[in-house]
Amino acid sequence: MIPSDLEAKILKVKRQDHIPLYVSATAGTTVYGAFDPLDNIADICEKYGLWMHVDAAWGGGLLMSRKHSFKLNGIERANSVTWNPHKLMGVPLQCSAFLVCEKNLLQACNQMRAGYLFQPDKQYDTTYDTGDKTIQCGRHVDVFKLWLMWKAKGTRGFEILINKFLELAEYLYKELNSRENFQLVFDAEPELTNVCFWYIPPNLRRIPNGPEREKLLHQVAPKIKARMIEEGMTMVSYQPHGDKVNFFRMVFSNPATRKSDVDFLLEEIERLGKDL
């Protein structure tokens, strides 16, 4: 998100007599793993009195890393945050959190005060009855998995894990830069564990850039992925994005992954795709 463009759009809709009320920023996009400039966005939200939400479902785990947490600077100024520990932090599915700064807000929005469920004169503190604060009412105690894992690993354990994922992403980025049959989707070091790239088969390298080459390149990743599935050796996702044809998107979130696995993946892609 470009803050100056955000402010321009806010002013535009206000001139049209509309009332902007909400800005959704992202900390770790699904495809590129990109981070919006949260502090700058928070300044604009405060200036115009807008609710600031941060979707940190994917990238929120970086807060556990002293080395990488700066990428979320400004998230503490948000009105609400989405965070999925079952993603980057490896908590078993499902473990998702929606956090708000204003105390009792979720209860005020969602409570039905059903007397047959939530009696105010119970023996214990009824603030522990979370059902009247949520949309679902009845739900699993998903936070227990996070609590148990945090007790076992500690904050330092999560930090070691997350730093390792980022190191693997950096290693893959450098390996791709050094191999002639691979091309990065954008030439910048990854902000998260996402690394996006094309494999360019030798036959395709002889074709000049243009619509014909793009059409053929669009078919490469799906064909290699199909061969991966048939052989059952490796698995990596792919997709198009905007005006970019199908590319591979490698995402690190498995604590067992090693650099040798990264090398093996690239060698397999070359083996499976060299005749395309």
Side-chain angles (χ1 to χ4, degrees), residues 164-173 190 192-195 252:
K164 179 187 176 184
F165 294 154
L166 271 292
E167 287 166 10
L168 286 168
E170 184 180 2
Y171 177 76
L172 174 57
Y173 166 78
L192 198 48
T193 77
N194 309 43
V195 184
F252 294 96

Side-chain angles (χ1 to χ4, degrees), residues 3-252:
S4 59
D5 187 55
L6 169 64
E7 186 165 23
K9 284 180 167 57
I10 291 169
L11 293 171
K12 179 182 178 181
V13 297
K14 286 172 75 72
R15 286 194 299 269
Q16 296 169 343
D17 293 328
H18 298 305
I19 302 173
L21 59 94
Y22 168 93
V23 173
S24 182
T26 307
T29 58
T30 302
V31 178
Y32 290 153
F35 288 79
D36 285 333
L38 303 181
D39 255 332
N40 300 105
I41 294 168
D43 290 339
I44 293 169
C45 288
E46 289 175 5
K47 181 178 179 180
Y48 295 100
L50 291 109
W51 181 282
M52 178 181 170
H53 175 72
V54 177
D55 178 354
W58 175 219
L62 289 194
L63 287 172
M64 295 288 184
S65 168
R66 286 168 290 185
K67 182 178 180 180
H68 298 284
S69 61
F70 72 92
K71 297 168 188 175
L72 292 112
N73 284 352
I75 195 171
E76 71 282 355
R77 300 170 64 187
N79 299 97
S80 59
V81 173
T82 303
W83 175 41
N84 288 0
H86 69 239
K87 292 183 177 176
L88 188 62
M89 295 170 65
V91 176
L93 280 166
Q94 165 177 317
C95 186
S96 302
F98 177 67
L99 309 171
V100 293
C101 278
E102 187 176 333
K103 190 174 183 179
N104 298 323
L105 180 63
L106 290 178
Q107 190 151 16
C109 291
N110 297 315
Q111 67 182 354
M112 299 298 291
R113 294 178 179 171
Y116 57 90
L117 290 176
F118 308 110
Q119 297 82 23
D121 55 353
K122 291 179 180 176
Q123 182 181 358
Y124 56 83
D125 183 354
T126 56
T127 59
Y128 291 109
D129 287 338
T130 57
D132 214 20
K133 301 175 185 178
T134 66
I135 297 171
Q136 300 106 307
C137 185
R139 58 174 293 174
H140 290 293
V141 188
D142 292 330
V143 74
F144 177 69
K145 291 175 285 189
L146 172 60
W147 177 86
L148 194 63
M149 203 167 178
W150 207 334
K151 293 290 282 186
K153 286 181 178 291
T155 303
R156 178 61 179 149
F158 275 124
E159 180 178 39
I160 291 169
L161 190 72
I162 289 164
N163 286 348
K164 179 187 176 184
F165 294 154
L166 271 292
E167 287 166 10
L168 286 168
E170 184 180 2
Y171 177 76
L172 174 57
Y173 166 78
K174 290 178 178 177
E175 281 296 308
L176 291 166
N177 261 330
S178 68
R179 300 185 185 220
E180 65 174 359
N181 288 331
F182 291 90
Q183 180 183 335
L184 289 155
V185 172
F186 55 91
D187 189 20
E189 291 192 15
E191 290 187 287
L192 198 48
T193 77
N194 309 43
V195 184
C196 302
F197 61 93
W198 289 285
Y199 170 67
I200 316 292
N203 290 330
L204 207 55
R205 293 178 64 83
R206 304 187 188 102
I207 302 174
N209 289 332
E212 181 189 355
R213 188 177 189 271
E214 292 288 283
K215 182 180 178 181
L216 292 170
L217 182 58
H218 188 64
Q219 301 171 42
V220 170
K223 289 180 178 178
I224 294 176
K225 176 69 175 283
R227 292 176 179 182
M228 285 180 171
I229 293 172
E230 289 168 4
E231 296 209 4
M233 293 295 289
T234 56
M235 187 75 77
V236 61
S237 62
Y238 71 85
Q239 74 281 302
H241 192 60
D243 60 350
K244 294 177 173 57
V245 299
N246 280 325
F247 54 84
F248 288 111
R249 173 171 59 97
M250 183 65 189
V251 178
F252 294 96

Side-chain angles (χ1 to χ4, degrees), residues 171-172 175-176 179 182 197 199 261-271:
Y171 177 76
L172 174 57
E175 281 296 308
L176 291 166
R179 300 185 185 220
F182 291 90
F197 61 93
Y199 170 67
D261 297 315
V262 175
D263 295 334
F264 177 74
L265 171 70
L266 296 181
E267 288 159 8
E268 280 293 281
I269 288 174
E270 289 201 270
R271 182 181 71 83

